Amino acid sequence: MAGRFTPGTPRTPGTPRTPGTPRTSSTSETPGTPGTPGTPGTPGTPSAPLLPATRTTTRGGHVSVPAPADGAGPVGLDLDLGLTLGPLRRGPADPTFRVTPDGSVWRVSRTPDGPGTLRVRPDGAQAWGPGGPWLLDRLPGLLGADDDPAAFVPRHRLLAATHRARPGLRLTRTGLVLESLIPTVLEQKVTTDEAYRSWRLLVRKYGEPAPGPAPEGMYAMPDARGWATIPSWEWHRANVDGKRSATIVRAARVANRLEEAAAMDPAAARARLELVPGIGPWTSAETVQRSNGAPDEVTTGDLHLPGIVGWALAGDRAADDAAMLELLAPYAGQRHRAARLILLSGRVPPRRAPRMTPGDITRL
């Protein structure tokens, strides 16, 4: 995916505002190739190279942080950008995420300060837009500076081999709840291709073009009010049923309270999210894994994950959630990392049933 990047010393953040692999869920939650860059826009005048603890914003909204010359970084080892940031990508045509041939990873986020575009590459990071400084303040967390891979002790040959083979894996922490929650809700009870298409259509239609010289076709997702005011027929056109759209609208109406969960303990964050009807354990876990960088929040209620974990660790393709949690018990505190490594190992049970047939409510 992208090349390796060694993040620099964490910068001194400003005072934050108080915020107001693809799979199919089997729970009954009630709504519950790298792209080719286009012609860049005209960026603001680049600022001079910055020291790690310095932030300079030009009139054009451009901010940059160079990589340290000695290669040392807050996570101690080289970082694999593809593995670390990959879970934030919702399909190969995600309008908020792009990997370009020069090895840059581009992300467009809706921050508390507004939309921002972030580019991370081997020689540093840059950001544009009102949310650019916010994104750079939290860049170390995004690149896994808050993660402690040394806390993981493999107790199975497969996990030990995969852990050695993937030394650049870190668990990302975005600090943003809604941007992970909404696409996760879209993935409830449907195929991932359906969910990715819905996300792509809605973001392009109701979001706004990415600030700065982002690759062509990149957008910032709508703000909370934008999500809450999407007409019912537009949800239908995007192939999103009433249960999922109602969940997203309810979440958008209490977005400020949900965004507070990014600063909470993962268990408390999940409890906060699950107060919204339509958000259950599967959705809350998938969200908090990304927004909070939670190494122990394993996904339950998934259609495929228990069988994959059961097959990898015990040869049991029929494992359910209880069996999966029992197999992962030795990794308490690091169960999400263990599950992630199992998925990266490629050891999955042979398919015996046909793939789930995609649905299309737009024809109804």
Side-chain angles (χ1 to χ4, degrees), residues 73-126:
V75 297
L77 293 173
D78 286 348
L79 177 74
D80 190 312
L81 279 178
L83 291 179
T84 300
L85 301 182
L88 305 179
R89 187 180 198 175
R90 306 291 179 157
D94 185 349
T96 69
F97 192 108
R98 191 73 56 83
V99 181
T100 51
D102 65 352
S104 297
V105 175
W106 294 78
R107 289 191 69 238
V108 187
S109 295
R110 175 74 61 175
T111 77
D113 296 331
T117 299
L118 176 69
R119 175 173 64 182
V120 185
R121 56 185 182 177
D123 61 347
Q126 295 170 296

Side-chain angles (χ1 to χ4, degrees), residues 215-228:
E216 184 178 3
M218 295 198 73
Y219 285 79
M221 76 171 198
D223 59 14
R225 186 176 185 278
W227 286 112

Side-chain angles (χ1 to χ4, degrees), residues 205-234:
K205 185 160 189 175
Y206 292 98
E208 60 184 280
E216 184 178 3
M218 295 198 73
Y219 285 79
M221 76 171 198
D223 59 14
R225 186 176 185 278
W227 286 112
T229 56
I230 293 176
S232 60
W233 58 88
E234 293 293 350

Side-chain angles (χ1 to χ4, degrees), residues 31-32 185-188 190 239-248:
V185 172
L186 291 175
E187 292 178 14
Q188 291 177 354
V190 299
N239 201 32
V240 181
D241 59 75
K243 292 182 177 180
R244 287 179 293 150
S245 63
T247 299
I248 291 172

Side-chain angles (χ1 to χ4, degrees), residues 3-134:
R4 295 184 181 274
F5 174 84
T6 307
T9 305
R11 304 182 314 114
T12 303
T15 303
R17 292 187 181 183
T18 302
T21 339
R23 56 186 69 95
T24 304
S25 167
S26 64
T27 61
S28 57
E29 296 177 17
T30 307
T33 346
T36 301
T39 304
T42 303
T45 303
S47 56
L50 308 179
L51 296 175
T54 304
R55 178 168 68 203
T56 300
T57 305
T58 70
R59 186 174 181 180
H62 171 280
V63 194
S64 64
V65 175
D70 61 1
V75 297
L77 293 173
D78 286 348
L79 177 74
D80 190 312
L81 279 178
L83 291 179
T84 300
L85 301 182
L88 305 179
R89 187 180 198 175
R90 306 291 179 157
D94 185 349
T96 69
F97 192 108
R98 191 73 56 83
V99 181
T100 51
D102 65 352
S104 297
V105 175
W106 294 78
R107 289 191 69 238
V108 187
S109 295
R110 175 74 61 175
T111 77
D113 296 331
T117 299
L118 176 69
R119 175 173 64 182
V120 185
R121 56 185 182 177
D123 61 347
Q126 295 170 296
W128 295 264
W134 191 97

